[in-house]
Amino acid sequence: MKITFTILFFAALLSMGADNNELFAQTQTSIQGKVTNSEGEPVEGAAVILYSRSNQIRSTTVTNPQGEYRFQRILAGDYIIEVSANGFETTSQSAHVEKDSSANADLVLTVHGPKENIQVTASGTPQTVDEVSKATSTVTAEEMEQRNELSIVESLRTVPGLRIQQLGSPGSFARIQTRGLRDSDTAILIDGFRFRDAASTQGDATAFLEELFVVNTDRIEIVRGSGSSLYGTNAIGGVINILSDQGGGPAHGQILAEGGDLGIFRSRAQFSGGLDDNRLIYSGGFAALKIDGGVDGDISTDNYSGQAFVQYNFSSNISLSGRLFGNDAYLQQTDSPFAAPGVVLPPRGSEVDAVPLPLDQQRRFEAGEPIVLGDANFIPNLRDPDNQRDSSFIAAAFSFHQRVNDAFGYQAFYQRINTNRRFSDGPEGARFEPLFPNSSDFNGRLDTFGFKADLQLGEHNLLTAGYEFEREKYINSSRDENPDIPARLNSGAEIKQTSSAFFLQDQFEALDKRFQALLAFRVQSFNLSDPVFFGGSSIYEGQDFESPKTAYTGDASFSYFFHDAGTKLRSHVGNGYRAPSAFERLGTSFSNGVFSPFGDPRLQPERSIAADVGIDQFLSEDRIQFSATYFYTRLQEVIVFDSSGAIDPTTDPFGRSIGYRNTGGGLARGVELAANIKPFKSLVLGTSYTFTNAEARFATAVPGFLRTFVQPRHIFTLYATQEVTKNLDVIFDLFAYSSYFFPFSGRAYRFDGPVKADLGAVYTLSFHDNFSLRVYGKVENIFDNHYYESGFRIPGTTFIAGASIPF
């Protein structure tokens, strides 16, 4: 019934638009202009992108030798024009064009002005930085290349409000915590589509964060604060949107190769361009990372990633696009850190200052030799030669856009995500190793179908409505090589579930666009199918399952921009949810054909409410940009894995004593400060500070301890780039965290926060015929600070160098 209503709603909008306006093919409307530098000279070859405000259709062109550009046969309405060129800062400008007329929009590029990148994630439609009413940040491809970041996760370290953690060398497990919340509270998007693993414990993207490398990325947009009303599950804390380079213009690209300490070698090739006067635009990239050594000297990683985008513009108002992002990786794993055996610890629930076992004693422990603990109270991650992870994912999406007339446009889309993870282990190693080789496979599949329409209601309102259907499948199998064949384990489960969502959003602007308001609403229902188990019997078989309650979310944000003062005031409030994952509902441990249930099919979605208020200030012709935000999030109901004995097996319908259940949540509140300063055209400074006070309401890992694990109270970052000469740039990058806690053996271990500074240099050699060579070097952790992330050893000072050739 809901699907039928949605289809009829969109059909009515479509017919209304077709009746009231001429189709795109009949219009002579156009936008043209000239791009110059600050001295009035034309800029040839600048990339010009035209965004339609009422729909995410974008057209691309480049300026001619006179710096001129032109977009023809477009529909009347509001647009945003974004211009970028090598050696200049990206800038943007709004434009309005009437039916059967021509509008002119000239833009000036400067080498020291602000980056005015378009933001699409905050509202789902293009907006300039002045119009965004939420707390947002953007990391561009140029910034990632300048800092020589390998992974998406590492590229986010300078963003206020984010706690980034990587447990070892590049390619090892990574996590993102937004505003003091949990890993699963941050939604990851690729080109606006949810990216998550249906077979992970919380059904989020965390299992694959370490494999998201910079391949063909145009920029990363970050929205802090609840985003569930627009983006659905897992957006309680915020949204990170990885946007692909969409190509356009003459064929161009880059080839890169680098290597250094830890046995690192990385190569990457990128290409992009346009054909048929940019009716067809394309881009692609491939990256390979190999680490043969790592922080422990003999830990290897192989990672291969590919990303491609193609779009065909049938006209300036109709387009069909496709995107592919895939990865295949191998990681030799270590054991998890643990409390040192034999050490006298305070009672459970106590706080303990973490003291690691020295590396020479750790090597003796790994060899089975006696050790001297000294003051050590935990053992860092041990080498385990036959412990490995093999994983892969592929995310493919297709999207059709049409702007029917100057008031109405729509998008139909489909995405398929396949995820595969295999964990293998054997008898080698130093602690609690299996008697014979075993493996566990986690395979997920996620299909998303959707339809979204945008309707301009008069001069001030843009209404967006959409429907999404999501189908997911989880398959888990475990097996071993027990020589006793009848006792050999070969068990597993297959779980399917679906959801349907309808969302509605209204963007309102007034007072010459100085006032912006955004109101959104989303309703999502769930359906859990009967599970299938093999290799043994399960308590879940034959049960009648009730689907979780329908999730309702709302969102409101407001901003007012004082143009003369360069001040923007903003506020945002909304509630969020996370749907229980397949594992949380029906997850099971398999042992000798016996199923030990962990999941509870009765689980309800997690619920939250969040609010923030902030100010953005632009000074000195925008050379100084400052922002301050106060945030507050209350987790009303969450899902926890409870091993405290609170689950009574005599009353639990599945006979569990440990497992997942709903309980009260927690609080996270704090302040985010950020500044970008350009005192001279050759110097750029960026800094941020985040204070976070986050506490849970229910503790299982450490009795009575409620402070959120891994999250430090204070986070400071600093970034500086200095143009020493026309061809030489020097880059300094620093992050510093205060102490934080992590649980071992029922105690809260206090770890010193990481302090890491990197120093790099880039030199560009220019030759004839527009050929250039970019060579660079980077020293990471220049102060050789030896620290541990949740007990995992982090590399000391390392060096990496490489070269890239643009073409």
Side-chain angles (χ1 to χ4, degrees):
M1 187 68 173
K2 184 181 297 181
I3 296 176
T4 303
F5 172 79
T6 305
I7 294 174
L8 291 174
F9 173 79
F10 287 126
L13 289 180
L14 183 58
S15 63
M16 179 181 65
D19 290 341
N20 291 343
N21 295 274
E22 292 182 47
L23 294 179
F24 64 91
Q26 298 172 304
T27 182
Q28 299 301 315
T29 308
S30 65
I31 293 179
Q32 67 279 323
K34 187 174 183 178
V35 178
T36 59
N37 60 22
S38 56
E39 297 176 354
E41 300 169 335
V43 179
E44 180 184 1
V48 186
I49 302 174
L50 182 71
Y51 293 88
S52 168
R53 283 186 177 274
S54 61
N55 197 264
Q56 289 189 44
I57 288 183
R58 51 172 279 173
S59 300
T60 303
T61 189
V62 294
T63 55
N64 63 19
Q66 290 74 44
E68 298 168 341
Y69 71 91
R70 184 178 180 86
F71 295 98
Q72 302 184 80
R73 296 184 299 277
I74 62 176
L75 287 168
D78 291 326
Y79 292 88
I80 302 177
I81 303 161
E82 183 181 73
V83 181
S84 60
N86 290 334
F88 297 95
E89 299 287 15
T90 300
T91 189
S92 62
Q93 180 175 311
S94 298
H96 176 81
V97 59
E98 298 290 343
K99 180 180 176 183
D100 294 331
S101 65
S102 178
N104 192 75
D106 296 335
L107 294 98
V108 178
L109 295 178
T110 65
V111 296
H112 60 272
K115 276 188 172 66
E116 297 180 356
N117 298 92
I118 305 302
Q119 241 280 354
V120 299
T121 309
S123 65
T125 55
Q127 293 179 297
T128 65
V129 291
D130 293 349
E131 299 164 347
V132 177
S133 56
K134 298 179 181 179
T136 64
S137 300
T138 301
V139 180
T140 66
E142 292 80 9
E143 293 174 56
M144 288 183 271
E145 181 173 306
Q146 202 168 40
R147 289 160 50 196
N148 192 38
E149 299 291 8
L150 278 67
S151 71
I152 296 294
V153 172
E154 287 296 320
S155 302
L156 298 171
R157 284 209 184 263
T158 58
V159 177
L162 300 189
R163 161 44 158 147
I164 306 298
Q165 188 179 54
Q166 184 137 37
L167 304 183
S169 308
S172 58
F173 181 81
R175 61 161 53 97
I176 300 171
Q177 292 178 301
T178 304
R179 291 183 167 178
L181 302 177
R182 304 152 303 168
D183 307 357
S184 57
D185 293 330
T186 301
I188 305 297
L189 313 178
I190 300 176
D191 295 323
F193 299 106
R194 276 188 303 278
F195 174 79
R196 60 188 189 90
D197 177 17
S200 70
T201 305
Q202 274 72 46
D204 62 347
T206 302
F208 283 95
L209 287 180
E210 65 264 33
E211 296 177 17
L212 294 178
F213 281 80
V214 178
V215 184
N216 188 44
T217 304
D218 176 64
R219 64 186 187 273
I220 308 170
E221 295 182 353
I222 304 95
V223 179
R224 304 184 299 280
S226 176
S228 292
S229 297
L230 192 57
Y231 296 108
T233 185
N234 297 97
I236 285 176
V239 175
I240 294 172
N241 191 6
I242 304 165
L243 295 164
S244 304
D245 180 0
Q246 296 194 13
H252 59 283
Q254 182 188 74
I255 298 174
L256 173 151
E258 64 185 13
D261 292 335
L262 306 178
I264 288 181
F265 178 78
R266 180 176 71 130
S267 59
R268 190 180 74 196
Q270 293 173 274
F271 60 90
S272 61
L275 298 171
D276 191 17
D277 196 24
N278 281 310
R279 291 171 70 90
L280 176 68
I281 58 176
Y282 62 87
S283 72
F286 176 79
L289 172 69
K290 184 175 180 60
I291 298 179
D292 188 12
V295 65
D296 286 303
D298 59 356
I299 303 300
S300 61
T301 299
D302 294 314
N303 192 298
Y304 303 94
S305 299
Q307 189 174 358
F309 176 87
V310 63
Q311 177 175 304
Y312 187 77
N313 298 308
F314 298 94
S315 75
S316 58
N317 304 299
I318 300 179
S319 69
L320 176 65
S321 63
R323 184 259 299 147
L324 189 68
F325 193 1
N327 176 277
D328 186 82
Y330 162 83
L331 173 66
Q332 185 176 348
Q333 298 193 127
T334 60
D335 288 335
S336 296
F338 57 96
V343 67
V344 178
L345 294 172
R348 289 172 59 86
S350 301
E351 297 180 9
V352 179
D353 289 329
V355 180
L357 184 71
L359 182 58
D360 63 332
Q361 296 300 309
Q362 181 179 330
R363 295 292 178 249
R364 292 179 60 86
F365 190 97
E366 291 169 341
E369 300 174 359
I371 62 172
V372 177
L373 279 175
D375 295 330
N377 54 27
F378 82 93
I379 309 256
N381 50 309
L382 301 173
R383 295 185 293 191
D384 189 348
D386 57 1
N387 185 358
Q388 67 182 52
R389 163 182 158 145
D390 296 275
S391 58
S392 64
F393 73 81
I394 186 164
F398 302 91
S399 181
F400 177 81
H401 293 80
Q402 180 178 7
R403 190 165 179 230
V404 178
N405 52 52
D406 57 2
F408 175 69
Y410 68 91
Q411 173 191 14
F413 57 88
Y414 166 72
Q415 177 178 247
R416 158 68 69 88
I417 301 174
N418 283 342
T419 54
N420 302 278
R421 290 175 289 131
R422 167 172 287 188
F423 297 90
S424 306
D425 200 1
E428 297 185 46
R431 180 175 181 262
F432 301 139
E433 301 300 325
L435 297 176
F436 26 80
N438 66 81
S439 64
S440 293
D441 291 87
F442 298 87
N443 303 317
R445 190 181 74 190
L446 195 65
D447 294 287
T448 305
F449 308 82
F451 188 91
K452 187 174 76 169
D454 298 284
L455 180 64
Q456 189 75 46
L457 298 176
E459 188 176 342
H460 302 290
N461 288 77
L462 177 62
L463 181 68
T464 302
Y467 171 78
E468 286 183 6
F469 175 80
E470 196 164 71
R471 179 179 62 198
E472 61 182 283
K473 182 166 72 172
Y474 162 100
I475 301 175
N476 171 223
S477 61
S478 298
R479 60 182 63 88
D480 62 29
E481 297 180 15
N482 191 330
D484 183 4
I485 295 179
R488 186 169 293 177
L489 173 66
N490 186 10
S491 305
E494 179 178 314
I495 305 167
K496 297 179 181 179
Q497 56 187 15
T498 62
S499 68
S500 294
F502 176 81
F503 59 90
L504 186 68
Q505 176 180 273
D506 181 43
Q507 292 175 250
F508 174 79
E509 61 182 28
L511 303 175
D512 194 25
K513 298 183 179 181
R514 294 193 301 274
F515 176 75
Q516 300 283 334
L518 186 148
L519 304 174
F521 173 77
R522 185 185 186 96
V523 55
Q524 184 158 354
S525 60
F526 311 93
N527 181 51
L528 177 63
S529 303
D530 291 338
V532 176
F533 297 93
F534 56 91
S537 60
S538 170
I539 192 67
Y540 298 120
E541 290 181 316
Q543 297 277 351
D544 292 328
F545 300 126
E546 294 185 5
S547 297
K549 293 180 181 178
T550 300
Y552 299 91
T553 53
D555 195 80
S557 61
F558 307 91
S559 69
Y560 189 88
F561 189 66
F562 297 88
H563 282 284
D564 293 340
T567 304
K568 181 172 69 175
L569 303 178
R570 51 181 165 78
S571 62
H572 177 209
V573 62
N575 65 325
Y577 77 96
R578 183 180 72 84
S581 69
F583 185 83
E584 289 170 324
R585 294 184 188 177
L586 296 165
T588 307
S589 173
F590 310 116
S591 178
N592 297 322
V594 176
F595 285 73
S596 300
F598 291 150
D600 188 341
R602 305 167 300 170
L603 288 175
Q604 302 302 320
E606 295 187 329
R607 299 179 299 110
S608 69
I609 186 168
D612 62 59
V613 294
I615 180 173
D616 299 323
Q617 182 67 57
F618 304 88
L619 301 170
S620 186
E621 298 181 342
D622 293 346
R623 293 190 182 188
I624 300 175
Q625 301 178 2
F626 172 79
S627 69
T629 305
Y630 170 80
F631 62 86
Y632 172 94
T633 304
R634 184 163 74 91
L635 299 174
Q636 299 164 297
E637 185 175 28
V638 298
I639 299 169
V640 298
F641 186 82
D642 193 347
S643 58
S644 67
I647 301 177
D648 186 351
T650 62
T651 58
D652 185 81
F654 313 108
R656 303 174 305 154
S657 58
I658 60 174
Y660 290 98
R661 70 181 182 92
N662 287 112
T663 186
L667 291 174
R669 56 276 197 203
V671 176
E672 299 162 344
L673 305 176
N676 291 288
I677 306 171
K678 301 181 181 179
F680 314 104
K681 68 177 183 179
S682 61
L683 177 63
V684 178
L685 300 173
T687 185
S688 72
Y689 167 76
T690 304
F691 169 77
T692 306
N693 183 10
E695 296 179 347
R697 290 186 175 179
F698 178 80
T700 56
V702 178
F705 187 86
L706 299 180
R707 182 171 164 180
T708 300
F709 292 118
V710 182
Q711 178 66 46
R713 289 280 174 87
H714 308 277
I715 297 177
F716 174 78
T717 71
L718 176 64
Y719 169 73
T721 176
Q722 173 70 57
E723 181 183 302
V724 180
T725 68
K726 183 178 180 180
N727 297 327
L728 176 63
D729 292 332
V730 176
I731 303 96
F732 178 78
D733 193 2
L734 167 73
F735 67 86
Y737 296 177
S738 62
S739 62
Y740 62 93
F741 291 91
F742 192 79
F744 288 141
S745 298
R747 285 89 175 169
Y749 276 62
R750 181 187 292 104
F751 283 87
D752 291 334
V755 178
K756 181 173 178 283
D758 303 336
L759 182 64
V762 180
Y763 190 81
T764 303
L765 297 167
S766 299
F767 302 94
H768 295 294
D769 300 324
N770 295 321
F771 175 77
S772 64
L773 174 67
R774 179 178 177 269
V775 294
Y776 57 89
K778 181 180 180 181
V779 181
E780 295 198 357
N781 198 356
I782 59 174
F783 301 131
D784 199 24
N785 183 20
H786 293 269
Y787 62 93
Y788 295 81
E789 282 281 21
S790 300
F792 286 81
R793 182 178 288 105
I794 304 302
T797 299
T798 58
F799 177 75
I800 190 168
S804 64
I805 302 174
F807 60 87

